[in-house]
Amino acid sequence: MTYSKILGTGTYLPDNVVTNFDLEKTMDTTNEWIIQRTGIKQRHVARDDETALSMAEAAARQAMDAAGITPNDIGMIIIATTTPQKMFPSTACLLQQRFAIAGCPAFDLNSTACAGFIYGISIADMYIRSGKIKNALVIGSELATRVVDWNDRATCILFGDGAGAFVLGSSDEPGILSTHLHADGTYNDVLFLPVNIGKPLEVEKELFLTMKGNKLFKLAVNILDKLFDETLAANHMKKSDVDWLIPHQANIRIIEAMAKKLELPMDRVAISLDEQANTSSASIPLALDKEIRSGRIKRGDMLMLEGFGGGLAWGSALIKY
Ligand SMILES: CC(C)(COP(=O)(O)OP(=O)(O)OC[C@H]1O[C@@H](n2cnc3c(N)ncnc32)[C@H](O)[C@@H]1OP(=O)(O)O)[C@@H](O)C(=O)NCCC(=O)NCCS
């Protein structure tokens, strides 16, 4: 049987760091409020010359180094991003050009928001398992800080920039065991970026992320709870079979509720939001790479990945690392 396995991971974070104390100086907020409500202490904020493309390239090169492969070994590029280099062509096509590997499929997942990375690995997994391709690059690259309203203290404190990448490759040994994707457009008004190309653009008014934080919080806890049950049942597994939770990094209180659901202690949960905030579709690979590089996550560990975001869209992946 053919599986897709994580062959390597990589990340990129802008050097520029903005702490909660920095934000205290520019808006009506406090370090204490932000930490208590979210768990976030600081975030990386890209400089003008950093883009979804440049960050994706850096993360992808690191992931390919870790996997011991070169761009010529890549059979598909998927970039999950809500902040692409251009509306089109895709950031993935621009990256393909940089790697000089014309020919392989390359596309962005722009509208799956913070669930985009899980959607990306699910698609790549299908292609690898069917034997159509051998290796895929799946990347989350986000400049979330460019689409928040820095005058809205309820949203701007939550987000950061960065990129994370996986090289997935075919293997005879178990890797990705299953992926589970869902969406419910009923909740399209809970989190959205209102740029509307169906009418003349008013970009300065529309290019801000809009969120009903409280409602989203409750929805997230509810859908993720059911998602874990579904994922474990599909693999005939128990909670105790899961070694690590790799959650989307939106809010420490949501993550704690999910750890409790899986009966996992917090030292078995990959956390990066304290230092990186919510980096949207980059948050899952960023959190996983951190634990792999620290040596805490080891080959053979059973990983539960989950993501949710605008749409609503959400999904999970159960992976033997
Ligand atoms: C955004 C979030 C942290 C807000 O926390 P909350 O406990 O729901 O707080 P509320 O929105 O109810 O606001 C409580 C109060 O804090 C205030 N407040 C909001 N942001 C603040 C800030 N940065 N600093 C200080 N006070 C703030 C509000 O104005 C409100 O004041 P009021 O009671 O006088 O009206 C929380 O709802 C959340 O994380 N939701 C999920 C978001 C998410 O998952 N997003 C990403 C999905 S991909």
Side-chain angles (χ1 to χ4, degrees):
M1 186 153 167
T2 304
Y3 292 93
S4 39
K5 229 177 153 53
I6 301 174
L7 302 185
T9 61
T11 59
Y12 178 83
L13 288 164
D15 287 341
N16 180 35
V17 168
V18 174
T19 66
N20 294 347
F21 294 110
D22 294 328
L23 295 180
E24 277 184 359
K25 291 177 203 150
T26 57
M27 67 187 72
D28 181 16
T29 191
T30 62
N31 175 54
E32 198 189 356
W33 191 96
I34 299 173
I35 290 182
Q36 266 181 11
R37 299 286 174 122
T38 70
I40 296 164
K41 294 179 186 155
Q42 61 173 46
R43 69 281 299 137
H44 294 255
V45 176
R47 297 188 195 280
D48 290 354
D49 61 343
E50 289 170 309
T51 65
L53 175 61
S54 70
M55 297 197 304
E57 181 181 3
R61 287 196 187 278
Q62 208 182 70
M64 287 189 288
D65 281 351
I69 66 165
T70 68
N72 289 323
D73 300 313
I74 295 297
M76 173 178 276
I77 303 175
I78 302 175
I79 301 188
T81 179
T82 46
T83 49
Q85 190 84 2
K86 300 176 179 168
M87 291 295 286
F88 72 87
S90 67
T91 310
C93 277
L94 301 176
L95 185 63
Q96 187 202 48
Q97 183 202 24
R98 287 201 177 183
F99 288 155
I101 51 170
C104 71
F107 57 95
D108 290 357
L109 293 172
N110 293 147
S111 44
T112 41
C114 303
F117 194 78
I118 299 284
Y119 270 65
I121 57 177
S122 181
I123 296 166
D125 176 52
M126 301 294 165
Y127 274 85
I128 291 170
R129 276 197 290 136
S130 71
K132 278 193 169 257
I133 60 167
K134 198 156 178 290
N135 300 308
L137 257 176
V138 183
I139 304 165
S141 186
E142 299 280 9
L143 292 162
T145 67
R146 296 226 181 122
V147 291
V148 292
D149 179 354
W150 284 96
N151 294 313
D152 176 12
R153 65 178 183 169
T155 52
C156 72
I157 54 128
L158 299 171
F159 293 93
D161 301 330
F166 283 6
V167 172
L168 295 178
S170 72
S171 166
D172 299 335
E173 291 170 18
I176 297 181
L177 301 180
S178 69
T179 60
H180 304 265
L181 304 183
H182 295 283
D184 185 349
T186 316
Y187 299 111
N188 68 80
D189 62 342
V190 175
L191 176 61
F192 59 99
L193 192 64
V195 176
N196 180 355
I197 295 176
K199 61 171 188 50
L201 281 176
E202 294 178 276
V203 169
E204 62 291 346
K205 285 193 212 145
E206 293 175 346
L207 204 52
F208 290 140
L209 178 146
T210 305
M211 184 177 77
K212 294 179 183 162
N214 215 285
K215 188 166 176 192
L216 182 53
F217 189 103
K218 289 177 193 144
L219 280 167
V221 172
N222 195 20
I223 58 176
L224 295 177
D225 188 282
K226 292 197 185 92
L227 186 63
F228 289 156
D229 289 339
E230 175 192 339
T231 309
L232 291 174
N235 291 284
H236 309 290
M237 283 194 189
K238 306 182 293 297
K239 291 173 187 175
S240 56
D241 294 319
V242 176
D243 297 309
W244 281 89
L245 171 63
I246 321 294
H248 170 47
Q249 308 282 313
N251 185 306
I252 193 69
R253 292 181 290 141
I254 298 176
I255 294 174
E256 283 166 353
M258 292 310 102
K260 198 167 164 202
K261 161 80 183 174
L262 284 177
E263 294 166 13
L264 277 173
M266 284 306 282
D267 65 358
R268 285 275 159 167
V269 181
I271 301 291
S272 57
L273 97 162
D274 52 343
E275 294 172 349
Q276 300 169 9
N278 180 347
T279 52
S280 190
S281 66
S283 86
I284 294 170
L286 278 165
L288 178 60
D289 180 84
K290 190 177 159 202
E291 298 296 356
I292 290 172
R293 283 175 197 273
S294 74
R296 295 213 307 145
I297 288 183
K298 297 189 172 42
R299 284 284 173 197
D301 283 352
M302 190 63 71
L303 315 178
M304 175 76 85
L305 279 58
E306 58 83 349
F308 66 94
L312 287 183
W314 65 99
S316 64
L318 193 70
I319 303 180
K320 189 157 190 219
Y321 176 56

